[in-house]
Amino acid sequence: MSFEEAMKELEATVGRLEHGEATLEESIKLYERGAALRAHCDKRLREAEERVEKITLAANGQPTGTVPAEGL
């Protein structure tokens, strides 16, 4: 599931919880699903952050390559 798909479902889940018409059992299941979706989104964000790279530039301002974010 992509980050965007998970966020969309998470927003819908939160909306259903906030609306307050679910039974207690439904609310618990919605909360559990929301927690799982949040964890998925957090994981996807961490993965994306690890892939962020800094573009290195030559003296003339032209890109010469990339450096992993950890090297910043």
Side-chain angles (χ1 to χ4, degrees):
M1 175 181 284
S2 73
F3 175 82
E4 292 79 11
E5 292 167 333
M7 279 301 294
K8 186 174 183 175
E9 185 177 339
L10 179 57
E11 289 169 356
T13 300
V14 169
R16 289 184 62 200
L17 282 168
E18 288 178 343
H19 201 271
E21 292 184 7
T23 66
L24 177 60
E25 189 63 29
E26 290 170 333
S27 293
I28 291 169
K29 288 180 182 181
L30 287 169
Y31 181 84
E32 289 171 341
R33 180 64 179 155
L37 288 165
R38 181 184 174 276
H40 178 77
C41 288
D42 285 346
K43 180 182 180 223
R44 297 296 298 222
L45 281 174
R46 279 193 310 276
E47 289 169 353
E49 288 172 351
E50 290 171 1
R51 294 174 50 202
V52 170
E53 295 179 323
K54 175 186 172 191
I55 297 173
T56 58
L57 302 176
N60 65 0
Q62 295 297 314
T64 59
T66 61
V67 175
E70 295 84 31
L72 298 177

